[in-house]
Amino acid sequence: MGVKKRILVACGTAIATSTVVARKIEEELGKRGIEITTTQCKATEVPSKIEGYDLVVTTTMVSGTGDIPVIHTVSFLTGIGIDKDIEKIMEYLK
Amino acid sequence: MANPNALQFKDMVREDLILCDLNVASRDEALETMASLLVEKGYCEKPYVAAILDREKNHPSALPMPGQKIAIPHADATYVNNSALLFARVTKPLEFRSMGDPDEKLQVSMISMFALKEKWMIGDLLETLINVYQDEDVLDAIMKAADEKEIFEILKTNVHEKQKR
């Protein structure tokens, strides 16, 4: 395994939902034997924090992400479509 | 590190913090009624009401769960005296904006309002709540429950606390 990939997890306020999303991603990828690190931030902080991350996962609209891939989803909260989003994340982290 | 003696979801679910037939005309009226109840009961200071309304306007909190549409309005700890978790089932669905796409409208039937003094708790609590709501059968049972007591029992028995990490 190489260096752990880094995912920036954004939500409106970085208080609540991003915590749950970050944990679910770690848990789901962990089940598949992939270790990653996550950092939480507010959606508005994404442009200033994005450097050095491999992927952004967000529950709300974000902008200023440049070339870094973004997955905009609430699946980790609703439970609908988690597997599909995990596949997407794995594809981006390859 | 989480404190093992800290309040857990089960301690937060209280029968007197469940409204089983909230009859209001709009999202804001629901939020105002609920937040005012937390103020009345001493859990929050008065500005919490405005904070909740403001937060929902800027950061919509509705989510389409597998069964029903729900909303999880919350604000930060500033005006919170004691942590509380207030549930309201509404008599007719209310239009909220979707968290994932603010242009999308969702007809919300169940609202869970968080007022947390201990900021670090919110991840655990929200995760627990989300896990309850992801179970379509549980959410369905909550929607059909006869009264506050029944909703209270359903929430209590279907909560599986996360192992403290």
Side-chain angles (χ1 to χ4, degrees):
Chain A
M1 285 272 293
V3 183
K4 273 192 203 171
K5 298 280 187 177
R6 301 175 73 205
I7 301 180
L8 188 60
V9 181
C11 71
T13 59
I15 294 177
T17 43
S18 57
T19 309
V20 178
V21 173
R23 285 185 186 176
K24 293 266 183 198
I25 294 173
E26 284 172 17
E27 196 180 299
E28 289 294 326
L29 288 177
K31 279 188 213 162
R32 293 160 174 83
I34 301 165
E35 279 190 51
I36 47 131
T37 58
T38 59
T39 308
Q40 293 161 234
C41 74
K42 296 180 188 177
T44 50
E45 296 171 337
V46 167
S48 62
K49 296 210 166 167
I50 195 165
E51 202 178 321
Y53 287 90
D54 300 288
L55 175 67
V56 176
V57 178
T58 178
T59 58
T60 184
M61 308 283 184
V62 294
S63 57
T65 48
D67 297 334
I68 314 293
V70 177
I71 296 177
H72 177 181
T73 181
V74 291
S75 71
F76 297 103
L77 301 170
T78 63
I80 304 168
I82 288 185
D83 286 344
K84 227 170 125 190
D85 281 329
I86 286 292
E87 273 171 38
K88 260 200 244 174
I89 290 173
M90 289 169 65
E91 193 61 34
Y92 280 129
L93 295 185
K94 262 183 193 168
Chain B
M1 275 299 283
N3 174 356
N5 299 319
L7 277 176
Q8 294 214 327
F9 188 88
K10 272 190 181 160
D11 309 314
M12 304 274 305
V13 180
R14 296 170 49 110
E15 205 176 321
D16 68 328
L17 292 180
I18 297 172
L19 307 171
C20 87
D21 287 303
L22 181 64
N23 186 7
V24 291
S26 69
R27 174 196 83 191
D28 281 358
E29 195 185 339
L31 296 177
E32 204 174 329
T33 306
M34 292 176 76
S36 299
L37 183 68
L38 291 178
V39 173
E40 214 172 279
K41 286 180 177 283
Y43 290 103
C44 301
E45 295 297 325
K46 208 147 188 251
Y48 179 80
V49 180
I52 277 283
L53 289 169
D54 191 54
R55 181 65 63 93
E56 189 67 29
K57 198 157 70 183
N58 296 314
H59 303 289
S61 74
L63 287 168
M65 302 309 280
Q68 304 285 334
K69 316 289 189 279
I70 64 151
I72 48 168
H74 51 275
D76 58 33
T78 317
Y79 306 113
V80 181
N81 298 324
N82 287 301
S83 295
L85 179 51
L86 174 62
F87 294 88
R89 185 180 69 180
V90 295
T91 51
K92 52 182 181 304
L94 300 171
E95 187 175 288
F96 274 65
R97 289 188 301 145
S98 166
M99 181 189 291
D101 175 4
D103 292 331
E104 188 190 349
K105 309 276 195 275
L106 296 177
Q107 300 296 319
V108 166
S109 320
M110 186 76 194
I111 305 170
S112 307
M113 183 176 285
F114 285 79
L116 292 183
K117 195 172 171 57
E118 300 83 358
K119 194 176 163 187
W120 57 265
M121 276 174 57
I122 198 164
D124 286 341
L125 286 177
L126 187 59
E127 189 174 9
T128 304
L129 184 69
I130 287 288
N131 286 338
V132 172
Y133 283 155
Q134 281 185 8
D135 188 328
E136 201 173 335
D137 294 338
V138 173
L139 195 48
D140 194 47
I142 291 173
M143 295 316 296
K144 287 181 180 149
D147 52 23
E148 286 87 354
K149 193 171 169 45
E150 202 180 326
I151 295 179
F152 175 74
E153 295 299 334
I154 294 167
L155 286 169
K156 280 268 188 192
T157 45
N158 287 287
V159 161
H160 308 287
E161 301 280 356
K162 292 294 280 193
Q163 282 298 316
K164 288 288 164 198
R165 45 188 89 198

